[in-house]
Amino acid sequence: MIKAIKGTRDILPPESAVWNRVEETAREVLSVYGFSEIRTPVFESTELFARGVGADTDIVAKEMYTFDDRDSRSLTLRPEGTASVVRAYLEHQLHRDPQIWKVYYLGPMFRRERPQKGRFRQFHQLGAEVLGSDHPAIEAEVIELLQLFLDRIGVGETELLVNSIGCGHCRPGFLRKLQVALSEIEDRLCQDCRRRCRSNPLRVLDCKREACQPVIERLPSILEFLDEPCRLHFDRFLGYLERRDIGFRIVPRLVRGLDYYTRTTFEITSRGLGAQNALVGGGRYDGLAEVLGGQPTQGFGFALGLERVILLSRQGDRPASAGQPQLFVAPLGEPALDRASLMAREFRRQGIHCFMDFAPRSLKSALRLANKLQAGHVLIVGENELKTGQFPLKRMRDGRQILVSETEVVSRLENGF
Ligand code: HAM
């Protein structure tokens, strides 16, 4: 038997109803905050991510689904959405518009990670990006909207972790200091970290290996190296959070796993998720547009793992509703089925959620199935009923039954029988 690929999964009903509810809530919240939807392609040129996300990140070095197209061009299934959004912004020359650009996306991303609880190879992100503003208040506002969304979904307790990783001006000083500190303790780090000590020392701070943690803890903190403008930006950001009563914890090691960040970085975590505890990740990426060959453009955004949000929302006590049929149409015999299915078409056109039963079965067995589906009512369509034009309509809640004509059915259902 052919099975779904490891790290991918089918979203079946009734779980798909939970997805719809979460996505609808996301659209509502993002729209009141002035975000519009963007849909970018699922595959892009490999170079976009290699340059945008950074060649020495885990994502680019180990996790991308990359393949040569038939014309030998290297393509990659998108591992994240920010690089694509910035590419689209530049490609469509949206910087000409003086306004800030606020967009969101919902869709599948692909990373070849080791699958575990909350971690997949095809997963789904809700992401939002604000291009064209360097104001720290916009950062607090984006976090505020995330809080509203997570509250509405009911994911339970979360923690906001924040940091600043400085800019091209102040980070090199920190990196020099970090490199010196790393050279002294390098032999106590894992192989990946040792490689990164030379290629991309900031990434060492991001290592998740248990054994490296005590060593990393004692490395210098980037916050002590911020220049005046970066320090001021960070303080103002924290001030805007405080004025919104948004609690946070400053984590100087929070450098995030992608290379495009400048200044503010943040994550929202939840204890309910186990090892993969990051629900949301984001930050500022003022240099990304230039790395991609475009005009300097300030950017800030986040992405949230929908599988993880849904995992948490299902831990609450709200069962998913697949939607029970209002009406179960039970034809008795093949000739009646043809007319009954045309009747069902009419009921549906009038907005009735209708289950049409095509299986040959007895009335008793039809009623049993209607019960199982939690149908509100059953309409019985047999040869005799078609002759007289009067059909038994049974209310399942109390078993009450009345005779109705075809044209009366909808108004009966709408007016409570
Ligand atoms: P990220 O931290 O790589 O950031 O991913 C964001 C979120 O996607 C994570 O917090 C997690 O919930 C979810 N996620 C990531 N990998 C997986 C996986 N393998 N399985 C399930 N869920 C996963 C970004 O992608 C940036 N583009 C965020 C951003 C937007 N920064 C600025 N703008």
Side-chain angles (χ1 to χ4, degrees), residues 367-396:
L367 287 173
R368 214 179 299 130
L369 178 60
N371 211 14
K372 193 169 153 210
L373 295 174
Q374 297 177 7
H377 302 80
V378 174
L379 185 74
I380 297 155
V381 183
E383 296 284 317
N384 282 341
E385 286 78 11
L386 285 170
K387 274 189 209 127
T388 60
Q390 291 290 304
F391 303 87
L393 179 66
K394 188 178 176 77
R395 183 159 70 187
M396 296 301 279

Side-chain angles (χ1 to χ4, degrees), residues 275-307:
Q276 297 306 310
N277 66 352
L279 202 54
V280 186
R284 177 162 287 287
Y285 47 88
D286 292 346
L288 177 56
E290 277 168 281
V291 167
L292 299 180
Q295 306 276 333
T297 308
Q298 294 118 355
F300 182 83
F302 73 84
L304 155 165
L306 284 168
E307 278 79 5

Side-chain angles (χ1 to χ4, degrees), residues 75-261:
L75 304 178
T76 292
L77 297 184
R78 62 179 183 193
E80 61 105 47
T82 312
S84 301
V85 168
V86 175
R87 188 225 8 95
Y89 180 83
L90 298 172
E91 188 171 334
H92 301 285
Q93 307 201 330
L94 297 166
H95 59 272
R96 289 188 179 163
D97 193 338
Q99 285 169 21
I100 60 171
W101 199 52
K102 295 165 86 174
V103 288
Y104 73 89
Y105 46 91
L106 275 159
M109 306 289 161
F110 306 85
R111 296 184 194 175
R112 199 175 190 287
E113 295 189 84
R114 200 166 45 80
Q116 63 181 86
K117 182 184 170 193
R119 189 162 74 188
F120 301 91
R121 291 182 171 176
Q122 172 172 333
F123 60 99
H124 298 77
Q125 281 188 346
L126 159 69
E129 314 289 351
V130 181
L131 295 182
S133 168
D134 66 352
H135 207 293
I138 201 104
E139 303 172 1
E141 192 185 84
V142 165
I143 290 173
E144 169 195 302
L145 89 78
L146 269 165
Q147 219 177 32
L148 178 64
F149 169 71
L150 295 173
D151 274 359
R152 288 227 178 133
I153 296 301
V155 298
E157 207 183 317
T158 56
E159 187 178 25
L160 170 65
L161 314 178
V162 297
N163 190 26
S164 171
I165 59 166
C167 65
H169 181 245
C170 57
R171 207 183 304 153
F174 169 70
L175 292 179
R176 277 195 295 278
K177 190 86 180 172
L178 184 63
Q179 237 152 359
V180 173
L182 285 170
S183 65
E184 285 161 18
I185 47 97
E186 205 183 312
D187 51 343
R188 284 189 270 153
L189 293 168
C190 70
Q191 279 224 312
D192 277 349
C193 282
R194 276 189 234 167
R195 183 173 45 80
R196 288 171 183 145
C197 286
R198 267 163 291 279
S199 60
N200 194 345
L202 203 62
R203 291 266 75 80
V204 175
L205 299 178
D206 196 42
C207 179
K208 300 284 184 290
R209 292 232 171 97
E210 205 59 55
C212 294
Q213 303 311 309
V215 188
I216 294 173
E217 299 278 284
R218 287 201 288 278
L219 289 170
S221 156
I222 193 158
L223 292 175
E224 285 155 28
F225 290 82
L226 296 184
D227 60 16
E228 207 37 43
C230 287
R231 153 75 42 207
L232 189 68
H233 184 97
F234 192 48
D235 287 346
R236 289 177 71 201
F237 164 63
L238 300 181
Y240 286 117
L241 289 180
E242 276 161 4
R243 273 196 288 297
R244 287 169 167 73
D245 282 329
I246 299 176
F248 58 83
R249 181 155 64 90
I250 300 174
V251 179
R253 281 191 42 201
L254 187 75
V255 294
R256 310 262 306 119
L258 305 95
D259 276 354
Y260 48 59
Y261 291 110

